[in-house]
Amino acid sequence: MNHDTMNPARQDDTLLPAVDVIEDPQGILLLADLPGVSKEGLSIHVEGDVLSLAGTIVLPVPEGASAIHTEVSAPRYHRAFTLSRELDAERIEAQFKHGELRLRIPKKTHAQTRRVEITID
Amino acid sequence: MIYRSFIPREVIAQLDRLQRELQHPAERSPSIRGGAPGSFPAINLSSSPTAIEICVFAPGIAPESLDVQIERGVLTVSGERASALPASDAQSTVHIGERFAGRFRRVVTLPDDIDGAAVAARYRNGVLHVSVPRRAAESPRKIEIN
């Protein structure tokens, strides 16, 4: 097994970051763990209805150090989600602190929950 | 009847090795303290001639709630991460809940030649980086045979 974290041959490998997705009546809150990614190394894209998160991991380990034990084994994270129509991709708000991404995806105003009256005959 | 395969034998051998590695992703003799994939926080260890570098992937934690200790060559990292998931509440739904929450503690055995007194630790972008210097190695010595 190759335990060399930043081996150039493995540049295409990506890790799937752990996420929490919580929905409330106003929208969706997406939290993602992206440790090792700086604000500059993070990219959030919406293309069509696909939201993709990507980040490059930069570790403060000096060049030439050899890996003894590796659990984070790829140099970047990537994960994509399909947004549903009622979500407003134009108004996504992002906060990123201590490697934790917090994305707030609001629902379009007209799509917010409306109570459906049920008529019973 | 001799069957001849169109697939070269070394390809089959490589696939076989890959399959075995997938079944046993860890090293052949893993540490007694585990290090199974999925442990939180994940740890990478690397070594240079002058120091042991430990990267602890612990995002979203206030640095003051992280505790790092080195005792007799054993490094312990512990702390707590609050859950982001809402308390049972009719208003919100958890669709995906993969992130770790709660108290954690990981223990790593360090090599023998470390200098536990001169450790530097820094938390940046959700990674705790601990650098433990090694004691200056003795220069190689030629042993005379009488």
Side-chain angles (χ1 to χ4, degrees), chain B residues 18-38:
Chain B
L18 184 69
Q19 192 179 20
R20 266 181 287 125
E21 280 184 349
L22 288 172
Q23 282 163 354
H24 303 282
E27 303 97 296
R28 280 203 178 92
S29 52
S31 159
I32 198 160
R33 294 199 170 90

Side-chain angles (χ1 to χ4, degrees), chain B residues 19-102:
Chain B
Q19 192 179 20
R20 266 181 287 125
E21 280 184 349
L22 288 172
Q23 282 163 354
H24 303 282
E27 303 97 296
R28 280 203 178 92
S29 52
S31 159
I32 198 160
R33 294 199 170 90
S39 307
F40 184 91
I43 291 179
N44 279 11
L45 275 173
S46 56
S47 138
S48 76
T50 54
I52 299 290
E53 312 284 348
I54 303 128
C55 289
V56 182
F57 296 79
I61 295 171
E64 54 275 15
S65 68
L66 273 171
D67 185 59
V68 184
Q69 286 187 14
I70 294 185
E71 200 191 340
R72 273 176 277 161
V74 173
L75 174 86
T76 305
V77 179
S78 57
E80 185 166 10
R81 186 157 92 149
S83 173
L85 305 182
S88 54
D89 168 357
Q91 289 291 296
S92 33
T93 315
V94 176
H95 295 298
I96 307 176
E98 298 166 344
R99 295 164 71 244
F100 176 89

